[in-house]
Amino acid sequence: MPGNIRSVSFAWMVLVYLLFCSRRASVGAAPICANAQAGCHVLSLANLFDRVIQHSARTHSISNDLHSEFEQYFLPSKNHIGRVSRNCHTSSILTPNGKDNAQRMAREELTEVILKLLVAWRDPLWHFHQNMAHHHDFNNFSSNKALEMSDMVHELRKGVEKVAEKMQVLGIISNTVSSLASPEASLPSDSAEWRLMKDYNLLSCFRRDSNKVQNYLKILKCRIVPEHGC
Amino acid sequence: GAMMRKVILLLLLLCFTAHTRGKLHSPPAKPGLTSCRSPEKETFTCWWKPGSDGGLPTTHALYYRKESSETVYECPDYHTAGENSCFFNKNDTSIWVNYNITVVATNALGRAFSDPVEIDVVYIVKPNPPEKVTVTVMEDKGWPFLRVSWEPPHKADTRSGWITLIYELRVKLEEEIDWEMHLAGQQKMFNIFSLRSGGKYLVEVRCKPDHGFWSEWSSTSYIKVPDYFHREKSTWILITVFSTFTFLILMWLLHMNRHNLKHCILPPVPGPKIKGFDKQLLKNGKSNQIFSALVVPDFPPATSSNYEDFQVEYLEVYVRREQELVLEESKDLHNSCLKSESSTSDCDSGRGSCDSHTLLMAKCREAKEGERQTDRECSPMRTEAQRRLKDWEEEALNYAHAGIVSLEMSSGRVKTWPSVFSPLPRYSSSPLDQQSSLQMAKQLSLSTSSYLTQPGHSTKEALGQSYWDLCLSSKQPHLLNPPTPVCRELQAHSDVNISSIGHKRAPAGPRSPALHTTEYVEVQRVDNKDTLLLQPVVQGCGRMGGCFQMPHGEVYSKVKGVDSDNVLLLQREGMGEDRCPCVEQETNEVTGSCHKSCTVSTTQKPSGCIYTAVPVRDEMATMANGYVDTATMCTLHTC
């Protein structure tokens, strides 16, 4: 009997150790297939782009739903729009407003614009979600959407960063794209503005900006890797 | 005058009003923007609807203001898009910018402003329908399908990724009403299957940007599917043929097995299956013949095995000068009775001397038949009385027969005297000794009959009288030979004195010395008809059965009486010797001669010539003439 217990405990220990090891390996892991080793599945740039674009599409879809919901319940008349200040806090960021402008813009610039936008929206969305959670006017569905939106933007930003990194690695873009460590640094003056924005304005602004991001990503993709679905 | 003037003035005013109503000019009514659309997200057009112009030429102007700018611009192009439209070209179009557009109607009298409309070009995109829609019929393993392909509208720039379009097409047969919708996604090609052979199809395609409006349907494309091979029909033909074949085969199988089927569905009614039973005879109605077949000839088995079961006892028949007939009853009779009855429940049954009585009578009858023979030979002395006796005997025999039958039926009671007379059945399988006994029985009955005619001795029990007149035969083996001389002798004796006739008696061993020999008859057994089968025993054998020598004497025994113990006492008259020590008798007042008597226990199985006494009913114990009704005796208990 004691022999059995010993063996069992030993096996258990081994199992636990293995689990830890694997975990540690995943946490402190270097980028997957850093050295392009054999048998390692490398994600292609096109693949990355597709994923990111899908992500941005999802984000925009959610923002659209929330916006229409807001419009339905809180703004019965369209004329009301005019009275509301439509200054988004991201209007300072220079973004191309046309196809020509966007196509003329360099890849690095475009990538940076995307990143800026995504960074700028991290905090406002988080606060927006907080507001929604506390408001009794909103139902749980909307609150969940707001939370999802916030998370998605976060994910999207990481994804775009990865894409940029990949592009830099591949030499497609130069290393001028700086990883923006602190979001507040880019928009110090606007930091207080978004707090003043009403929920509806915020939603409108974000809806537009998510569309921009999606569009820019598509342009970027079709410019860099045009062979897949362009 | 004044009144008149007022009236005229009023009329004039009215006229003037009426006049001016038709021709009155007014500022224009408020126009309204109907829609703004952008086909490719690079330009857009707005349309408005003017209000009433107020009778004056009215001009409309569109003014717009961009987001976060107070500068008001006017529509750059009023003509490209048609009337009451404003076309914004690429330079004037900014995406992701809110436009505040207003239409102003102006005429000589005034202006009218429409309601402002805010638009963002991104959300008003409605592309043109897809172009170059081609539909072709293609074949896949013999089955046709439609391949529809198209191209995006040329204005929409999907290549640079500026616009992403998704497509949708619809198909229907020419004669149908409802369309069949297919969402194609971003692909520019689509296959349609499950076509009707020879049908004419209509195909249309449209597209939509990811956030925008559906385009109009493209122009209809017509396509006719060729008549491909009628596989459907051929399949049906095959199925029909196959099923027909199967059906035919099934029918044939059924036909071949119709008998089995018939047996299955309508099983025949089983007829009677009794061995030996002939249905035809039943139908003919002759029951006798039918049931005769059921009679098992061998039943009851007439084997000699029963012989062993019996206590061998001797039936001693004396033929005395004094015409005394001593009969020795054998216990065998009782046992044989018992045996015959085949029911041991009633002790009384089968044990009674009555049964043996019947046996005796059976033999009597048999003997009677033989008697006729002997009669002829021995009967010169026959008298008329004998003839009468004969008649009586017949009757008695009949009675006896009946009695036997009744005996059989009942639990072993022999009721009446007549039952004593029982026909002696013939047994083919009887052994020699049986035959001899039979023969002896015959002889016995012979003398019996002669005795019965004695008027003096005819009592009420005359019918019941039974006695054995043993006609000594010459030799055992030659039983068939009628013992003529002995018979005669018997006869003579019978005529003389039949005073004492005892039939059932306790085993009487004694023989008449005067008659020289005592004849012992051993009761073999009792047959199924309660007939006592006697077997002559050799004189010298004495107690033991098994000797079959024919004695030469006749001894008659007379029932003396029944004692208190229900023991039948037989008296031997004129007997001097006592061959069998176990003969129970006592002094007879009639004859006076007595011999040894021995009491025999009823329960004891006799050996040799020891017999069990026959229990007798008390009331019948004593009779004047010494006859005992064994029938009544048998009604008692332990026989």
Side-chain angles (χ1 to χ4, degrees), chain B residues 563 565 567 569 581-585 596-602 604 610-613:
Chain B
D563 71 346
D565 290 335
V567 174
L569 305 172
C582 300
V583 173
E584 183 184 16
Q585 58 184 11
K596 285 188 223 167
S597 65
C598 59
T599 57
V600 182
S601 68
T602 56
Q604 192 179 359
I610 300 171
Y611 306 97
T612 55

Side-chain angles (χ1 to χ4, degrees), chain B residues 450-463:
Chain B
S450 59
Y451 278 141
L452 285 168
T453 55
Q454 289 287 328
H457 297 279
S458 63
T459 60
K460 61 179 183 293
E461 311 297 333
L463 281 172

Side-chain angles (χ1 to χ4, degrees), chain B residues 137 139 142 144 196-200 224-231:
Chain B
V137 180
E139 202 161 289
R196 187 188 298 183
S197 148
K200 193 171 180 186
K224 185 171 187 305
V225 180
D227 293 327
Y228 58 93
F229 183 58
H230 295 278
R231 286 167 189 252

Side-chain angles (χ1 to χ4, degrees), chain A residues 60 64 86-87 96-100 103 207-208 211-212 214-216 218-219 222 230, chain B residues 41-42 67-68 94-98 120 122-123 157-162 164 210-211:
Chain A
H60 178 69
N64 210 5
R86 296 276 291 190
N87 287 330
N97 287 337
K99 180 181 112 179
D100 297 330
Q103 280 181 332
R207 183 169 78 138
R208 183 193 294 171
N211 199 316
K212 275 185 187 175
Q214 186 182 3
N215 222 148
Y216 296 153
K218 278 181 187 174
I219 291 168
C222 284
C230 276
Chain B
K41 210 159 85 175
E42 293 166 40
E67 177 185 327
S68 67
S94 302
I95 317 297
W96 298 300
V97 172
N98 281 339
D120 194 338
V122 174
Y123 303 112
D157 186 3
T158 54
R159 283 203 158 267
S160 63
W162 180 241
T164 311
D210 39 0
H211 305 284

Side-chain angles (χ1 to χ4, degrees), chain B residues 160-192:
Chain B
S160 63
W162 180 241
I163 288 184
T164 311
L165 293 172
I166 55 170
Y167 304 94
E168 185 183 55
L169 53 77
R170 63 179 188 182
V171 186
K172 76 160 184 162
L173 277 164
E174 195 177 20
E175 53 270 17
E176 279 176 13
I177 299 167
D178 295 328
W179 290 90
E180 188 181 318
M181 311 295 280
H182 297 279
L183 194 68
Q186 290 184 26
Q187 61 197 39
K188 298 180 190 65
M189 181 261 292
F190 197 78
N191 294 329
I192 297 171

Side-chain angles (χ1 to χ4, degrees), chain A residues 64-131:
Chain A
N64 210 5
D65 293 341
L66 271 173
H67 180 262
S68 49
E69 208 176 298
F70 248 81
E71 216 168 44
Q72 196 176 355
Y73 290 116
F74 297 98
L75 296 163
S77 72
K78 280 228 168 189
N79 295 335
H80 191 234
I81 300 168
R83 292 177 226 153
V84 180
S85 126
R86 296 276 291 190
N87 287 330
C88 298
H89 71 289
T90 53
S91 51
S92 60
I93 303 170
L94 215 66
T95 58
N97 287 337
K99 180 181 112 179
D100 297 330
N101 292 343
Q103 280 181 332
R104 266 184 241 130
M105 201 177 244
R107 298 168 192 176
E108 295 86 352
E109 259 183 272
L110 207 54
T111 313
E112 222 174 292
V113 162
I114 293 165
L115 282 167
K116 275 183 187 174
L117 283 170
L118 289 170
V119 164
W121 276 106
R122 194 190 68 180
D123 286 336
L125 282 174
W126 169 251
H127 282 95
F128 173 70
H129 166 251
Q130 294 294 315
N131 287 344

